[in-house]
């Protein structure tokens, strides 16, 4: 049985939750893109966010590490509130890894350099140690042999796996995925999803914006459905997909099923 | 004309294509034909396609060809066959170029042999001119070292400072048995290289900061300052800026506190070059996808780390061609200091031409000056295309 948004309002002060969003509002000019969005993500919880395009799901996930700033409401990440305080922001960005739709690897650096950059410059790790760490994560995403190549020489699926390894090299507590498979050719989606499933099975806290319902069923503890800037419904994958409560979710599900 | 094009059109259609409707099956057509039509390739094909396409094209080609050949023959005749390489010394110990004057259809290269040291080193004491010569060699060595990516590390800055200090010491002298030579006596190529080297070495970092400042979103005062700087400096000609530096600026300074003219011109030059380069760099910054900034932010890189490790390496690579274009332009623009009487290469050349003995042989001097400027500019141009190739080898399929 899935619940409507009204029933999932979280408590604000929270050490025990990984992420807390409390009545977050955001506007682009006069466009109200996030409307009273409230959500909590527990440690080791895997949350999949879905919804039609323009529903604000990417904006919401980008607010969690402040690539976008919210205008009203409060956001806590690992107990630290996101404000204009740059030191708090630094702390949070170290703990939160992000994977983008368009990979955003640094094209002028090799795969290995992409992975070691942040550990060396942000975590102040010695170079040799950072490289060993990077190689271990590249092995985990199954492309250690590409370490000396440049991003432009890799396929989309390989690039996205490198992007995951790059984020993991910062040893984040939380991983955010913003439509990680949307820019990929169909035959490459599986290799990226497999990597993400492996990550989920290792107990990583994950928030993932995706339309991959198979992935949601397999790994998500909870699915959140957003539409027009608000959370409309949330619940377990099974209850959400098999017993949707709202017309908007029913419509959305019918649309993506038709698309497949 | 029609004859030609008809043939060209008919030719590529192979016999088998007659069965299919024209244009309907491109794959079949190309599959049935292994070679391109003969007349469209090779030297003859190229000539026919580009130079002799119809009677008008042929006529233009022939007319232009006539002028080019005539001009080249004339040049060879003037510069080599009828040229005088030496002139006799007259009774008073001065060279006597009357043989050159008598033969007006040949170059008088003797003036170069006579004047090249004056052109290159200006009024610097003749016996001491090995010092500016070494300085020029040091400048060139500095460029060569800096050009190699192997040496792109922090120590290079030390090498730069040490070399420039050494150049200053050699030019001034006044120690180790070298006589002191006042700055007024410096001239020629060392001055040009100084203006260009210091100018671009300071203008480039300045331009990067200005370009970053102009894109700043959370420091509106800095942004305004950068916009004002670029727009004001770009809005006036370099000549007027040089005049301001040499004539107006001293008026506002207290008596006794008046920086040297060369230094003032140098500062004007840096400011001018900085404004232009800043716009080039800004162009590079704007082409960088937003995702690169976001990825760097998400990894927790600070502003300066993000800028120096992610943003600038990519942005500057993208603008190598316009950047070098501007560098070359400013190398040549150093010659504008002529109008405020600084003794650079061009000024020294003009002074050499003014010698009454050699009156009338300015063409040869101008050609020498052009050759010197060309060597430096062409080297820059070749270097930049090599750099571009090296950077792009591994990137972006």
């Amino acid at each position: 049985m899935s619940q409507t948004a009204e029933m999932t309002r979280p408590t604000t002060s929270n050490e025990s939750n990984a992420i807390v969003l409390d009545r977050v509002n955001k506007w682009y000019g006069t466009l109200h893109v996030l409307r009273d969005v409230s959500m909590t993500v527990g440690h080791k919880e895997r949350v999949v966010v879905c919804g039609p395009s323009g529903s604000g799901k990417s904006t919401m996930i980008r607010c969690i590490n402040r690539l976008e700033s919210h205008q009203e409401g409060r956001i806590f990440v690992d107990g630290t509130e996101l404000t204009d305080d740059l030191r708090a922001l630094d702390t949070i960005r170290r703990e939160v890894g992000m994977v983008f739709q368009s990979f955003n690897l640094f094209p002028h650096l090799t795969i290995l350099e992409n992975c070691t950059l942040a550990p060396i410059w942000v975590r102040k790790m010695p170079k040799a140690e950072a490289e060993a760490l990077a190689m271990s994560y590249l092995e985990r995403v199954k492309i250690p042999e590409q370490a000396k190549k440049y991003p432009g020489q890799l396929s989309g699926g390989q690039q996205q796996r490198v992007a995951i390894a790059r984020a993991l090299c910062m040893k984040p507590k939380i991983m955010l995925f913003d439509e990680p498979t949307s820019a990929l050719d169909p035959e490459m989606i599986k290799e990226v999803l497999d990597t993400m499933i492996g990550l989920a099975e290792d107990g990583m806290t994950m928030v993932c914006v995706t339309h991959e319902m198979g992935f949601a069923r397999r790994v998500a503890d909870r699915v959140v459905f957003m539409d027009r800037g608000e959370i409309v419904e949330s619940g377990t994958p099974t209850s959400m997909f098999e017993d949707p409560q709202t017309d908007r979710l029913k419509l959305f599900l019918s649309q993506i099923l038709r698309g497949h | 004309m029609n004859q030609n094009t008809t043939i060209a059109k008919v030719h590529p259609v192979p016999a088998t294509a007659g069965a299919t409707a024209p244009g309907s099956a491109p794959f079949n057509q190309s599959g049935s034909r292994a070679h391109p039509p003969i007349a469209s390739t090779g030297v003859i094909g190229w000539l026919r396609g580009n130079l002799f396409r119809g009677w008008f094209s042929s006529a233009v080609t022939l007319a232009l060809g006539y002028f080019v050949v005539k001009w080249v023959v004339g040049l060879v005749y003037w510069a080599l066959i009828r040229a005088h390489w030496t002139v006799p010394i007259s009774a008073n110990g001065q060279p006597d170029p009357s043989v050159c004057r008598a033969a007006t259809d040949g170059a008088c290269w003797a003036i170069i042999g006579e004047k090249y040291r004056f052109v290159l080193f200006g009024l610097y004491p003749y016996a001491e001119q090995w010092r500016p010569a070494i300085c020029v060699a040091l400048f060139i060595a500095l460029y060569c070292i800096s050009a190699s990516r192997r040496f792109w590390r922090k120590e290079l800055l030390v090498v730069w400072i040490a070399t420039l200090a050494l150049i200053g010491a050699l030019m001034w002298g006044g120690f180790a048995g070298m006589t002191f030579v006042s700055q007024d006596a410096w001239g020629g190529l060392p001055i040009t290289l100084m203006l260009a080297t210091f100018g671009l070495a300071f203008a480039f970092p300045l331009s990067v900061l200005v370009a970053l400042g102009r894109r700043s979103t959370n420091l509106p005062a800095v942004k305004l300052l950068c916009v004002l700087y670029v727009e004001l400096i770009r809005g006036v000609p370099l000549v007027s800026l040089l005049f301001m530096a040499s004539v107006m600026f001293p008026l506002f300074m207290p008596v006794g506190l008046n920086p040297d003219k060369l230094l003032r011109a140098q500062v004007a030059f840096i400011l001018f070059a900085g404004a232009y380069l800043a716009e080039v760099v800004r162009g590079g910054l704007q082409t960088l996808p937003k995702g690169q900034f976001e990825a760097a932010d998400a990894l927790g890189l600070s502003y300066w780390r993000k800028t120096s490790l992610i943003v600038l390496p990519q942005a500057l690579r993208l603008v190598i061609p316009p950047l070098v274009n501007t560098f070359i332009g400013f190398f040549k623009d150093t010659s504008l200091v002529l109008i405020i009487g600084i003794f650079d290469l061009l000024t020294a050349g003009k002074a050499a031409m003014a010698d009454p003995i050699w009156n009338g042989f300015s063409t040869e001097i101008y050609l020498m000056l052009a050759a010197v400027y060309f060597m430096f500019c062409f080297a820059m141009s070749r270097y930049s295309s090599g750099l571009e190739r090296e950077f792009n080898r591994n990137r972006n399929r």
Side-chain angles (χ1 to χ4, degrees):
Chain A
M1 179 75 192
S2 81
Q3 304 163 297
T4 53
E6 295 307 313
M7 296 147 86
T8 58
R9 178 148 292 165
T11 52
T12 48
S13 62
N14 242 311
E15 288 284 324
S16 58
N17 283 314
I19 302 167
V20 177
L21 277 76
D22 181 23
R23 277 161 292 167
V24 171
N25 279 281
K26 180 174 176 60
W27 290 262
Y28 286 130
T30 54
L31 189 67
H32 200 173
V33 288
L34 292 181
R35 300 164 188 257
D36 274 338
V37 170
S38 294
M39 179 176 82
T40 51
V41 179
H43 289 293
K44 303 202 172 183
E45 195 180 7
R46 276 102 48 180
V47 175
V48 163
V49 183
C50 62
S53 62
S55 60
K57 52 195 194 305
S58 279
T59 307
M60 182 198 72
I61 202 174
R62 289 156 62 85
C63 280
I64 295 172
N65 66 350
R66 213 174 175 79
L67 289 182
E68 310 273 357
S69 54
H70 58 286
Q71 285 134 356
E72 267 177 23
R74 307 174 81 183
I75 299 177
F76 296 86
V77 178
D78 205 28
T80 312
E81 182 169 9
L82 269 176
T83 55
D84 287 329
D85 178 12
L86 289 176
R87 203 167 304 159
L89 182 60
D90 276 351
T91 319
I92 286 167
R93 281 182 174 165
R94 272 175 220 210
E95 306 301 336
V96 179
M98 184 152 193
V99 175
F100 300 87
Q101 180 178 354
S102 50
F103 329 135
N104 294 349
L105 294 178
F106 305 128
H108 62 301
L109 300 176
T110 63
I111 299 308
L112 189 64
E113 286 165 344
N114 263 279
C115 294
T116 57
L117 185 88
I120 289 174
W121 294 102
V122 180
R123 287 237 188 264
K124 313 286 179 209
M125 199 182 276
K127 194 177 175 210
E129 195 185 322
E131 285 181 353
L133 179 76
M135 285 313 292
S136 74
Y137 280 115
L138 286 175
E139 267 160 40
R140 186 159 154 187
V141 300
K142 300 196 177 65
I143 33 176
E145 71 283 357
Q146 312 283 7
K148 297 282 175 225
K149 289 193 182 166
Y150 286 84
Q153 297 167 295
L154 268 57
S155 73
Q158 288 174 324
Q159 288 194 47
Q160 193 60 298
R161 283 186 282 153
V162 171
I164 294 172
R166 176 176 73 177
L168 290 177
C169 281
M170 283 296 282
K171 298 193 171 161
K173 292 180 182 159
I174 300 164
M175 284 285 284
L176 307 175
F177 293 85
D178 187 5
E179 304 206 30
T181 56
S182 301
L184 294 173
D185 292 334
E187 72 271 21
M188 292 169 184
I189 291 176
K190 187 175 178 299
E191 64 187 59
V192 171
L193 289 181
D194 284 347
T195 309
M196 290 165 63
I197 289 167
L199 205 56
E201 283 166 356
D202 289 349
M204 176 66 77
T205 309
M206 291 165 72
V207 179
C208 183
V209 174
T210 185
H211 288 161
E212 294 294 331
M213 292 304 145
F215 172 79
R217 271 178 197 279
R218 172 130 182 221
V219 306
D221 297 312
R222 195 148 48 92
V223 174
V224 171
F225 172 66
M226 287 184 76
D227 190 20
R228 283 174 242 158
E230 55 193 358
I231 294 180
V232 178
E233 201 171 331
S234 76
T236 62
T238 324
S239 66
M240 290 281 284
F241 297 149
E242 277 156 27
D243 187 19
Q245 299 294 299
T246 57
D247 290 341
R248 284 198 263 180
L249 179 55
K250 284 175 192 162
L251 178 68
F252 174 71
L253 288 173
S254 73
Q255 277 167 341
I256 53 170
L257 289 180
R258 204 184 305 146
H260 276 255
Chain B
M1 185 165 101
N2 289 336
Q3 193 84 359
N4 246 346
T5 49
T6 322
I7 290 168
K9 269 182 192 161
V10 168
H11 185 91
V13 182
T16 50
T20 58
S24 66
F27 291 108
N28 274 348
Q29 275 194 12
S30 65
S32 65
R33 165 157 52 87
H35 302 289
I38 292 150
S40 70
T41 59
V43 177
I44 294 178
W46 184 88
L47 282 176
R48 192 187 285 176
N50 294 290
L51 298 180
F52 296 100
R53 190 165 218 146
W55 66 267
F56 182 72
S57 160
S58 302
V60 170
T61 302
L62 288 175
L64 288 177
Y66 171 75
F67 284 114
V68 168
V69 168
K70 193 168 162 52
W71 191 80
V72 169
V73 168
L75 182 69
V76 169
Y77 191 76
W78 177 82
L80 299 173
I81 297 170
R82 295 287 291 168
H84 287 273
W85 302 89
T86 52
V87 291
I89 305 293
S90 65
N92 58 6
Q94 295 287 341
D96 175 16
S98 52
V99 281
C100 287
R101 283 223 170 76
T104 50
D105 56 349
C108 188
W109 297 120
I111 188 177
I112 304 293
E114 190 67 29
K115 291 287 183 192
Y116 79 94
R117 283 182 61 170
F118 182 79
V119 174
L120 289 179
F121 305 123
L123 298 167
Y124 208 87
Y126 197 80
E128 298 287 321
Q129 282 182 0
W130 57 272
R131 281 153 56 180
I134 289 180
C135 290
V136 169
L138 282 173
F139 270 123
I140 293 173
L142 192 60
Y143 304 149
C144 291
I145 289 172
S146 312
S148 171
R149 286 187 74 199
R150 268 180 303 150
F151 299 116
W152 288 8
R153 48 179 82 185
K154 280 180 192 136
E155 290 86 337
L156 190 60
L157 190 65
V158 180
V159 173
W160 266 74
I161 293 168
T163 311
L164 294 178
L166 183 62
I167 286 170
L170 271 171
M171 291 298 284
W172 268 302
F175 65 96
M178 292 188 285
T179 51
F180 176 77
V181 178
S182 139
Q183 218 165 307
D184 304 332
W186 299 6
L189 188 55
I191 292 286
T192 292
L193 294 183
M194 268 179 221
L195 282 170
T197 308
F198 281 101
L200 294 174
F202 282 96
F204 182 57
L206 172 72
S207 72
V208 170
L209 291 177
V210 170
L212 290 171
R214 199 167 173 178
R215 279 175 56 88
S216 165
T217 44
N218 45 5
L219 296 171
V222 172
K223 181 175 179 169
L224 182 69
L225 207 65
C226 293
V227 172
L228 277 178
Y229 162 68
V230 170
E231 297 304 336
L232 282 180
I233 298 282
R234 254 195 338 178
V236 294
L238 177 55
V239 172
S240 65
L241 216 59
L242 287 172
F243 267 126
M244 247 187 269
S246 79
V247 183
M248 268 173 65
F249 183 71
L251 299 179
F252 307 132
M253 293 299 283
V255 183
L257 186 80
N258 199 2
D260 164 80
K261 184 158 85 173
L262 184 61
L263 181 64
R264 279 181 273 138
Q266 182 77 78
V267 170
F269 196 73
I270 291 170
L271 289 176
F272 196 72
Y276 272 84
L277 290 171
E279 285 300 282
V280 174
V281 174
R282 192 167 69 96
L285 292 175
Q286 267 166 348
T287 54
L288 215 58
K290 207 170 150 230
Q292 293 290 310
F293 294 88
E294 290 179 351
D297 282 339
L299 285 169
L301 291 168
S302 66
Y303 175 81
W304 288 110
R305 294 239 188 279
K306 175 175 72 176
T307 302
S308 61
L309 297 169
I310 308 297
V311 177
L312 286 178
Q314 294 188 64
L316 294 181
R317 270 167 218 211
L318 287 167
V319 292
I320 288 174
L323 212 52
V324 173
N325 191 30
T326 315
F327 273 31
I328 289 175
F330 278 107
F331 183 82
K332 292 178 295 181
D333 280 356
T334 54
S335 58
L336 285 174
V337 296
L338 174 90
I339 57 141
I340 55 167
I342 288 174
F343 225 79
D344 79 323
L345 188 62
L346 181 64
T347 315
K350 293 289 273 187
M353 292 167 206
D355 184 342
I357 298 177
W358 292 97
N359 192 13
F361 298 105
S362 51
T363 310
E364 287 82 349
I365 296 282
Y366 276 127
L367 281 173
M368 175 194 170
L369 294 174
V372 174
Y373 279 111
F374 178 79
M375 277 192 300
F376 284 97
C377 295
F378 188 65
M380 273 192 263
S381 163
R382 295 312 305 159
Y383 173 65
S384 87
S385 54
L387 202 59
E388 247 177 280
R389 231 175 299 128
E390 196 178 328
F391 277 146
N392 289 331
R393 195 180 298 146
N394 296 318
R395 298 183 54 224
N396 302 345
R397 268 190 286 198

